[in-house]
Amino acid sequence: MTKYVYAFYEGNKEMKTLLGGKGANLAEMTKIGLPVPPGFTVTTQACNQYYEDGKQIHESIIKEIFENLKNLEEKIAKKFGDEKNPLLVSVRSGAVFSMPGMMDTILNLGLNDQTVIGMAKATENERFAYDSYRRFIQMFGDVVLEIPKYKFDHILEKEKQINHAELDTELTTQNLKNIIEEYKKLVKKESRKDFPQDPKEQLLMAIQAVFSSWNNPRAIVYRELNDIPNHLGTAVNVQSMVFGNMGDTSGTGVAFTRNPATGEKKLFGEFLMNAQGEDVVAGIRTPQPIAQLENTMPKVYKQFADVANLLENHYKDMQDIEFTIEKGKLFMLQTRNGKRTATAAINVAVDMVNEKIIDKETAILRIEPNQLDQLLHPTFEEKAMKEATKITKGLPASPGAATGKIYFNAQDVVNAANEGEKVILVRLETSPEDIEGMVAAQGILTARGGMTSHAAVVARGMGKCCVAGCGELRVDETKKVFKVGDKIFKEGDYISLDGNTGNVYEGSIQTQDPELSGNFGTLMNWADEMRKLKIRTNADTPKDAAVAVKFGAEGIGLCRTEHMFFEEERIPAVRKMILSKTVEERVAALDKLLPFQKNDFAGIFKEMGERSVTIRLLDPPLHEFLPHHDEDIKALSKQIEISYEQLKETVEELKELNPMLGHRGCRLSITYPEICEMQTKAIIMAAIEVKKEKNIDIEPEIMVPLIGSEKELEIIKDLIIKTANEVMDEMDEKLKFKVGTMIEVPRAAVTADEIAKHAEFFSFGTNDLTQMTYGFSRDDAGKFIPEYRKKEIFEKDPFQRLDQVGVGKLMKMAVELGKSQREDIKLGICGEHGGDPDSIEFCHKIGLHYVSCSPYRVPIARLAAARAAVQNK
Ligand code: PEP
Ligand code: MG
């Protein structure tokens, strides 16, 4: 029979899938003898069962829950619902992957009109008991009964006003009792039922609410953003309460064993004395730095520091720990591998190798390749900083630099970002509702909250610049303004944020690319030692090529030549070529383009030195180079002295119904061989020129796009070789070069053995291969793919992550057929998937020699290739 509930002492850290991250780690801490308040975990399987049973908790699961509750009562000698010595519990969600702020927590469950009296007596602290009850009704009302939180806040504020109380702590027991009465009335009015007094009913309702919150919109957005599958479900942890709000020797806090922003090996975190549970994380009161605890409670601090050290060594990773101190006694409430910025991830991984805690391969596996993206983002230009006017300073919650127009709610941010604006989200404090705004914003600024507030945690996870807890900021979210002193900033005004210092500046400040060295370099060197795949880049200009080389590119896998045709001084000649009526006219126009193309290629060869360079012959349909609006056609007709009517007719003629499947790719070289000749000439001439000038070996790779049949390639290859030989004869020079093709038409994949007769290399153009395998137009798929993802037909957009089942099968087939014909055929990929870590792993597995991606993704690809090698040994 399936077991749906586990006591903490029955589990361990390996049971994450079943117990969720939080549950598995509570079990592990219990196992190794740390002071964890006892409790039990209702499994993720129970959550899935709940959905299978039509949102009902099954009888047998309820039975297991209450059996475990009974054991818990015996263990700590308190009883659920007891009027003298009541057991109170917390109920928290715990998914397999941590989802900060996405799911809900309930504290003090078990309180009712009777147990609150018992608790007051047992603790000899009436005020504390009623304050706990007040908080419980509010939390339960908000999370379980879905009564808007502000309605509870309103009651609390009113009572404070009547009694001239500034702070919650100034409220008397009687005031709290009044509030509780009002809360209960509110509950009755809103839910049409009395506040549940039976603790067992409270418990089941709370567990059910956690299960339901797995599918609340915020959780769904978070999962989508972080590629967390929907079917995992969440576990629920029921744990006996300890109280951080029992006076001056009690408190609560969160701490990381190392600094999650920089990786520095030093306890980093915050605590609040006389506070409960979520007070620290929610950012409602500003907490004190953890180091301060050493002065406040030296013994507890020492004990905590020892536990932190023990946990880090036990898990062999940086830990993010939650703790509570109840009357001077320390309790551990959670530990998990800490979320960290890319900088911290790299520094911690490299430091831990040096400290002999982990080996190099583990270090490589610790860093998510996509996380490196954060490091490749810009910082402020030093020069521009000199003129910058600082307005205020907050906490440096998440590093980076951001400039943009300010907006005060998530929706406005999303709207402005959709209009192409760079935007900063400014909030009093963020909550999970703001997540979409946070995704769309360049940076986030909050007036409240500490380094572990929602804004800070989520922004760090996203690699987004965030300045939090900016105390001088007077934010009015309704009027959409903020004030600092007497300066007013309105919606749409520019500000700039420095996430490394916490500084906030007026206006927009120029940003610059980062330098990558130190531990980043060390880690990249380790990755390079481990990986089997070479990493090339897709670059069309010497500038892009230089950036890619700086990031470690070992060659160019795709140089798209069409971008060169669009430049202003060339476009007239390109258009003349397209509009030519005779071969002679076309050759004359192409002759004008030749020197430009030769210089383009020479620039790239110079930048790349002896590294491989693959240049692709012209690919897009010709009409893309012609104007389509009447005014533009008129202007062009004057410029090139062709009548408007004649020009318009040609433009119409060249228009295609399905241009992606039309007159493009190698079909251009078949119909207009002169284009292929000109491009070949330019490549060979440039290579010879640079080879001589720099005295280096250059062996260009000429790539033919969109081949579907052997014959196409045979004809074009002959033409390339003939043209290249003529150039070499003319220049009286020799040059080695290769001719190969892209595999981007399904027919090419399934006849790859035939095609390999004429191709020295294959490069998979998985953009077109995906388009043609699915029959989805690349330009139109964006309209329906989101719906496909929602309906779970696709887990991910197949244009971003390779469809390994279908498109991947074609690739595998092409690799095998290609090799059967030509053993040493060179194999690579140059579609967008060449920069996607999962797709890179697939390329490793099917035995490609290289992947090619955009310059900024080169370090990501280097790391992903190393991880693929380690994971598939
Ligand atoms: C491809 O199709 O994958 C490719 C790289 O070519 P393009 O994107 O230029 O069509
Ligand atoms: Mg293509």
Side-chain angles (χ1 to χ4, degrees):
M1 214 180 77
T2 315
K3 181 172 161 67
Y4 287 105
V5 185
Y6 286 74
F8 290 167
Y9 56 79
E10 292 178 306
N12 63 54
K13 71 176 188 324
E14 313 305 331
M15 294 169 71
K16 267 195 181 151
T17 315
L18 192 62
L19 303 179
K22 194 174 289 187
N25 289 331
L26 281 166
E28 186 74 11
M29 287 198 290
T30 306
K31 198 177 96 182
I32 61 175
L34 295 181
V36 177
F40 55 86
T41 305
V42 187
T43 63
T44 53
Q45 239 176 350
C47 175
N48 289 330
Q49 192 62 44
Y50 165 80
Y51 282 104
E52 254 173 56
D53 293 337
K55 293 196 167 192
Q56 296 280 340
I57 307 178
H58 196 275
E59 277 298 313
S60 66
I61 301 177
I62 295 180
K63 196 163 152 249
E64 269 191 71
I65 292 172
F66 289 136
E67 276 165 14
N68 273 272
L69 188 69
K70 194 152 181 294
N71 289 343
L72 183 59
E73 288 174 336
E74 281 164 18
K75 207 169 167 64
I76 62 166
K78 287 184 179 177
K79 238 172 130 26
F80 215 37
D82 193 279
E83 295 184 8
K84 290 210 182 79
N85 191 17
L87 164 66
L88 302 190
V89 295
S90 65
V91 177
R92 291 163 189 253
S93 62
V96 178
F97 301 104
S98 79
M99 296 169 60
M102 290 295 115
M103 310 287 272
D104 305 300
T105 295
I106 294 161
L107 302 176
N108 307 331
L109 189 139
L111 281 174
N112 61 24
D113 294 351
Q114 254 56 54
T115 55
V116 70
I117 303 171
M119 190 182 171
K121 282 198 187 127
T123 58
E124 293 172 7
N125 191 339
E126 197 184 23
R127 189 189 179 284
F128 161 71
Y130 282 91
D131 188 42
S132 300
Y133 191 23
R134 171 194 76 75
R135 286 165 186 260
F136 171 52
I137 301 176
Q138 173 162 350
M139 242 185 267
F140 193 92
D142 169 25
V143 174
V144 181
L145 306 172
E146 295 179 358
I147 301 167
K149 195 166 155 278
Y150 75 87
K151 297 197 175 178
F152 291 100
D153 287 339
H154 192 71
I155 294 172
L156 180 71
E157 286 308 317
K158 208 166 131 199
E159 188 70 20
K160 273 159 80 176
Q161 253 176 27
I162 296 171
N163 295 289
H164 308 291
E166 278 269 313
L167 302 169
D168 296 4
T169 42
E170 290 166 26
L171 291 169
T172 64
T173 308
Q174 188 53 51
N175 299 153
L176 292 168
K177 285 181 180 172
N178 298 344
I179 293 170
I180 289 165
E181 283 317 304
E182 291 302 312
Y183 276 6
K184 285 199 291 195
K185 277 188 210 152
L186 174 68
V187 168
K188 175 117 199 208
K189 186 168 155 241
E190 293 280 328
S191 68
R192 298 208 181 82
K193 274 194 202 137
D194 286 323
F195 182 77
Q197 290 289 316
D198 175 1
K200 286 188 173 175
E201 189 189 346
Q202 292 173 356
L203 181 62
L204 290 182
M205 286 173 81
I207 293 173
Q208 182 153 357
V210 174
F211 285 160
S212 297
S213 72
W214 172 254
N215 272 338
N216 74 29
R218 299 172 335 225
I220 292 170
V221 169
Y222 189 88
R223 285 204 289 277
E224 231 176 71
L225 212 64
N226 291 279
D227 283 337
I228 299 175
N230 283 328
H231 62 80
L232 292 180
T234 179
V236 187
N237 299 294
V238 179
Q239 187 172 29
S240 48
M241 283 293 302
V242 282
F243 297 95
N245 54 341
M246 280 185 102
D248 294 340
T249 56
S250 299
T252 183
V254 285
F256 291 81
T257 52
R258 305 189 185 214
N259 186 314
T262 64
E264 189 193 359
K265 193 181 178 185
K266 195 172 155 199
L267 269 184
F268 175 93
E270 294 155 332
F271 72 103
L272 264 176
M273 292 313 279
N274 200 8
Q276 194 176 43
E278 302 294 283
D279 290 356
V280 180
V281 193
I284 290 163
R285 272 161 66 191
T286 301
Q288 285 179 287
I290 192 81
Q292 195 63 36
L293 188 64
E294 197 169 8
N295 304 332
T296 320
M297 299 187 93
K299 264 202 195 137
V300 174
Y301 178 79
K302 163 111 189 30
Q303 192 194 352
F304 177 70
D306 289 346
V307 169
N309 200 18
L310 184 149
L311 282 173
E312 186 176 279
N313 282 314
H314 185 73
Y315 283 92
K316 298 187 188 310
D317 199 355
M318 184 244 268
Q319 294 299 294
D320 167 359
I321 303 168
E322 279 183 27
F323 63 94
T324 282
I325 308 160
E326 184 184 273
K327 293 192 175 163
K329 195 165 171 336
L330 177 70
F331 290 94
M332 310 309 296
L333 296 186
Q334 174 172 304
T335 192
R336 60 181 173 193
N337 294 338
K339 286 202 182 293
R340 61 206 80 177
T341 62
T343 308
I346 289 171
N347 289 338
V348 169
V350 174
D351 287 351
M352 283 193 167
V353 171
N354 294 335
E355 292 163 28
K356 303 204 165 25
I357 299 174
I358 55 172
D359 61 16
K360 288 180 190 175
E361 292 191 347
T362 310
I364 289 292
L365 297 178
R366 282 282 162 82
I367 293 146
E368 273 299 321
N370 279 329
Q371 219 189 351
L372 293 185
D373 209 18
Q374 295 176 21
L375 296 181
L376 313 173
H377 288 311
T379 50
F380 288 129
E381 257 186 10
E382 240 175 78
K383 221 172 75 209
M385 281 305 282
K386 289 204 177 104
E387 278 140 42
T389 313
K390 184 173 138 188
I391 21 180
T392 182
K393 186 176 163 88
L395 299 170
S398 181
T403 284
K405 289 185 178 177
I406 54 173
Y407 287 89
F408 292 82
N409 68 56
Q411 195 52 53
D412 289 347
V413 166
V414 171
N415 294 345
N418 285 343
E419 296 285 306
E421 284 184 12
K422 290 198 157 110
V423 185
I424 307 260
L425 172 66
V426 182
R427 301 284 284 158
L428 270 171
E429 63 202 331
T430 64
S431 72
E433 277 88 1
D434 294 322
I435 194 134
E436 279 164 288
M438 295 174 81
V439 174
Q442 304 290 314
I444 297 134
L445 173 64
T446 70
R448 295 187 198 146
M451 292 295 283
T452 46
S453 63
H454 177 266
V457 172
V458 175
R460 273 202 297 274
M462 290 177 185
K464 200 144 278 194
C465 167
C466 174
V467 174
C470 199
E472 287 181 345
L473 229 59
R474 299 275 161 266
V475 179
D476 188 330
E477 289 172 353
T478 330
K479 289 198 182 125
K480 301 187 177 179
V481 294
F482 76 74
K483 278 191 206 164
V484 180
D486 46 18
K487 270 197 175 155
I488 300 181
F489 294 82
K490 296 188 296 297
E491 181 181 82
D493 287 348
Y494 272 101
I495 62 164
S496 300
L497 306 179
D498 185 337
N500 302 313
T501 59
N503 286 339
V504 182
Y505 300 93
E506 211 172 274
S508 93
I509 303 174
Q510 192 65 34
T511 54
Q512 68 184 8
D513 288 342
E515 274 303 316
L516 303 171
S517 55
N519 282 343
F520 181 91
T522 306
L523 191 94
M524 280 292 139
N525 287 340
W526 294 344
D528 292 346
E529 284 164 19
M530 292 172 209
R531 69 183 157 90
K532 300 274 184 298
L533 281 168
K534 296 254 179 242
I535 311 298
R536 296 200 193 181
T537 190
N538 293 357
D540 312 336
T541 64
K543 189 164 162 264
D544 286 354
V547 172
V549 167
K550 196 177 103 192
F551 285 150
E554 294 163 298
I556 288 181
L558 173 63
C559 172
R560 292 179 167 102
T561 50
E562 53 269 23
H563 296 164
M564 301 164 173
F565 278 38
F566 276 109
E567 280 185 23
E568 217 179 311
E569 32 179 5
R570 309 160 189 207
I571 194 84
V574 174
R575 287 170 169 168
K576 233 186 170 130
M577 182 267 289
I578 296 169
L579 299 165
S580 305
K581 289 283 175 223
T582 64
V583 174
E584 289 72 29
E585 267 177 50
R586 188 153 42 248
V587 170
L590 283 163
D591 277 349
K592 285 213 176 110
L593 284 173
L594 179 66
F596 288 119
Q597 281 264 276
K598 195 198 75 185
N599 284 343
D600 292 332
F601 298 143
I604 286 172
F605 288 136
K606 273 187 202 155
E607 204 57 62
M608 296 306 287
E610 292 192 341
R611 297 178 185 88
S612 305
V613 174
T614 306
I615 296 172
R616 179 178 73 182
L617 300 180
L618 193 66
D619 185 62
L622 294 181
H623 74 87
E624 280 193 13
F625 299 100
L626 294 179
H628 292 103
H629 296 295
D630 270 349
E631 290 103 80
D632 300 331
I633 297 175
K634 269 182 203 143
L636 180 65
S637 77
K638 275 197 200 117
Q639 196 186 343
I640 57 174
E641 292 167 4
I642 296 181
S643 77
Y644 165 76
E645 288 73 24
Q646 199 186 342
L647 184 58
K648 173 113 180 143
E649 199 183 303
T650 317
V651 170
E652 288 300 323
E653 257 170 39
L654 281 171
K655 257 196 200 153
E656 294 177 305
L657 289 178
N658 286 310
M660 273 293 180
L661 301 176
H663 193 180
R664 61 174 281 231
C666 65
R667 298 154 207 169
L668 293 172
S669 293
I670 296 287
T671 47
Y672 303 122
E674 307 79 35
I675 302 177
C676 166
E677 277 170 10
M678 182 280 281
Q679 291 201 294
T680 304
K681 264 190 211 165
I683 295 167
I684 302 294
M685 283 163 84
I688 291 176
E689 205 176 279
V690 177
K691 183 180 160 202
K692 271 171 52 185
E693 188 190 318
K694 299 193 95 180
N695 196 20
I696 50 173
D697 256 346
I698 297 183
E699 188 178 349
E701 299 172 349
I702 302 175
M703 181 155 77
V704 187
L706 227 67
I707 286 291
S709 68
E710 180 198 347
K711 197 76 188 158
E712 285 172 324
L713 186 58
E714 192 183 350
I715 293 172
I716 296 168
K717 187 182 182 183
D718 285 349
L719 181 61
I720 292 170
I721 293 177
K722 181 173 156 278
T723 311
N725 285 337
E726 281 167 13
V727 175
M728 285 189 268
D729 284 350
E730 227 168 84
M731 294 176 82
D732 199 18
E733 290 284 342
K734 282 267 163 272
L735 182 85
K736 278 208 217 152
F737 63 94
K738 287 194 171 73
V739 180
T741 180
M742 296 185 73
I743 301 289
E744 49 184 349
V745 172
R747 193 179 187 284
V750 298
T751 61
D753 48 346
E754 306 283 318
I755 290 179
K757 285 186 210 157
H758 314 285
E760 290 169 274
F761 62 87
F762 283 169
S763 177
F764 288 96
T766 45
N767 303 333
D768 272 309
L769 194 58
T770 302
Q771 161 167 269
M772 295 191 216
T773 302
Y774 268 114
F776 288 167
S777 149
R778 281 159 74 170
D779 295 335
D780 301 309
K783 290 182 195 144
F784 53 83
I785 283 183
E787 198 56 33
Y788 268 57
R789 292 197 55 201
K790 234 189 245 162
K791 301 224 157 88
E792 295 185 17
I793 300 168
F794 290 154
E795 208 179 277
K796 188 104 193 178
D797 181 344
F799 287 104
Q800 282 170 10
R801 182 188 292 170
L802 192 74
D803 156 44
Q804 297 180 11
V805 180
V807 179
K809 200 168 185 177
L810 284 173
M811 289 172 72
K812 234 171 129 201
M813 187 188 287
V815 166
E816 280 156 20
L817 290 174
K819 278 189 185 166
S820 73
Q821 179 66 247
R822 191 188 285 260
E823 216 179 316
D824 64 346
I825 190 162
K826 212 171 181 184
L827 301 163
I829 177 173
C830 63
E832 285 309 298
H833 306 93
D836 168 63
D838 266 338
S839 314
I840 291 171
E841 184 177 7
F842 179 77
C843 294
H844 168 92
K845 284 196 210 154
I846 62 167
L848 299 195
H849 299 117
Y850 71 85
V851 298
S852 188
C853 57
S854 68
Y856 281 90
R857 291 199 78 81
V858 167
I860 297 169
R862 286 163 73 192
L863 181 60
R867 285 165 59 103
V870 172
Q871 280 167 325
N872 296 280
K873 260 191 181 163

